[in-house]
Amino acid sequence: MNTETPGIPAPPDTPLARRTLDFVTREESPAVAHHSIRSALFARMLADHRGAEPVRDYDPLPLFLACVLHDIGLSDIGNRHQRFEVDGADTAAEFLTRQNLPGAEVDAVWEAIALHTSPGVAERRGALCELVRAGVGVDIGIGGEFVTEAAAAAMHAAYPRLSMATALTDEIVAQARSCPEKAPPYSLPAELLRERSTPPHRSLLEEAEAARWGR
């Protein structure tokens, strides 16, 4: 997964990035793992589109780590007793601490993951939080107008969508149904649970994905 694909950026070629990819692809479902990787690459593409300079404006490695790990709370290893964003942030922090990532960077990744479903908050917490939320949004189908059809085709050839929005919704809702405290009122998990429980039983995530990516 570290090889260059024409039209899309390559993941960082570092031992930590490779171990993180291995961890995510091992622990997450294929649909969610591909979503996590695409989110990271879309975030990098968005930063380039905006003219942001790596190092000067943002740190590419924490951006990649936070995006790739942002849904680890939906895996068996990350499924605990808090909303999936916080469980995921805790699991990611534990993993990155074991990899000897400096504490300040671990904290920054934790915050970006915990806030990635918090509109109006993530955008106020610096470039990392904002780019993680934006990259995830692009893969869902929000704010990706800058992505050309050729780049989208290359991305989806490398990391197929696999009905991502349906899989993601199903996993979040399954956790919420088995552990109600994972879906506090007005949270994303609670909203997805409501959408799944009422006709037409289809989430806005699925509608957004279909509208932009046709999948």
Side-chain angles (χ1 to χ4, degrees):
M1 288 187 179
N2 288 328
T3 57
E4 186 79 35
T5 300
I8 61 175
D13 188 17
T14 70
L16 177 55
R18 291 192 292 272
R19 289 194 296 269
T20 302
L21 282 172
D22 289 344
F23 178 61
V24 165
T25 55
R26 182 176 67 250
E27 298 295 341
E28 293 182 351
S29 67
V32 174
H34 282 197
H35 161 61
S36 299
I37 298 166
R38 288 193 308 268
S39 296
L41 302 185
F42 279 137
R44 182 64 186 267
M45 291 168 65
L46 177 59
D48 291 345
H49 174 71
R50 292 174 173 175
E53 291 288 337
V55 181
R56 185 194 72 187
D57 298 317
Y58 70 97
D59 191 329
L61 182 58
L63 176 61
F64 179 79
L65 298 174
C67 284
V68 169
L69 289 163
H70 83 273
D71 278 336
I72 196 65
L74 297 176
S75 67
D76 287 343
I77 198 171
N79 185 8
R80 303 175 184 182
H81 296 284
Q82 303 171 93
R83 50 191 287 181
F84 82 96
E85 305 97 316
V86 178
D87 278 347
D90 288 347
T91 304
E94 292 163 9
F95 169 77
L96 294 172
T97 298
R98 291 195 300 272
Q99 307 306 313
N100 297 314
L101 190 70
E105 293 181 43
V106 172
D107 288 346
V109 169
W110 187 97
E111 182 180 46
I113 294 173
L115 294 179
H116 83 269
T117 65
S118 298
V121 179
E123 292 83 356
R124 297 287 298 272
R125 296 303 300 161
L128 177 60
C129 288
E130 193 275 330
L131 282 171
V132 169
R133 177 168 164 76
V136 172
V138 171
D139 193 55
I140 289 169
I142 301 167
E145 295 80 8
F146 68 95
V147 180
T148 66
E149 291 301 317
M155 183 75 79
H156 296 138
Y159 308 102
R161 298 197 69 83
L162 305 175
S163 300
M164 176 279 295
T166 297
L168 191 69
T169 301
D170 287 347
E171 292 187 23
I172 294 170
V173 169
Q175 285 193 353
R177 284 177 171 157
S178 66
C179 185
E181 59 262 43
K182 295 180 71 67
Y186 308 110
S187 66
L188 176 64
E191 179 62 14
L192 293 177
L193 179 59
R194 183 194 65 79
E195 290 174 341
R196 270 286 186 265
S197 301
T198 57
H201 308 290
R202 183 171 171 83
S203 69
L204 290 179
L205 294 183
E206 292 166 285
E207 297 292 348
E209 181 186 38
R212 176 62 178 93
W213 304 120
R215 291 172 172 81

